[in-house]
Amino acid sequence: GCGGYGVVVGELVRVGRIAALATKWSFDYISWTFATGGRSPVFKMPTIIAQFPIFLSYIFWLIYLIRDAILLFCKKDGEEGRE
């Protein structure tokens, strides 16, 4: 069943906070760039093109963190974790 894992929960909360902070920072960074209309000096391309993958990677970090936490806590008794 879904059991408690004392130390693991603390680590998940710690990593979750870092992931949430990084995601918020990258969203604020993209929002600021969009508002100021930043462009690259040479090609005059919007800098948001280069910054969006950073935001996307943090979103995926949160998604995989949530998925892995669910898999960890809700695996069936005696079942090995997926590698």
Side-chain angles (χ1 to χ4, degrees):
C2 295
Y5 291 78
V7 175
V8 176
V9 172
E11 291 300 317
L12 280 173
V13 169
R14 220 170 281 133
V15 172
R17 283 178 153 171
I18 295 169
L21 180 66
T23 304
K24 183 187 178 328
W25 169 82
S26 64
F27 178 77
D28 291 345
Y29 186 43
I30 285 177
S31 298
W32 175 77
T33 300
F34 187 75
T36 59
R39 295 195 169 276
S40 65
V42 176
F43 298 112
K44 306 297 181 208
M45 293 174 54
T47 53
I48 200 166
I49 293 171
Q51 295 163 353
F52 186 74
I54 296 169
F55 174 66
L56 195 60
S57 69
Y58 288 134
I59 290 291
F60 283 127
W61 183 17
L62 279 174
I63 291 169
Y64 282 111
L65 179 66
I66 292 167
R67 182 205 65 174
D68 289 346
I70 290 169
L71 289 176
L72 174 68
F73 291 117
C74 294
K75 65 183 174 186
K76 295 178 183 160
D77 292 331
E79 183 179 275
E80 292 292 323
R82 292 190 318 185
E83 301 287 323

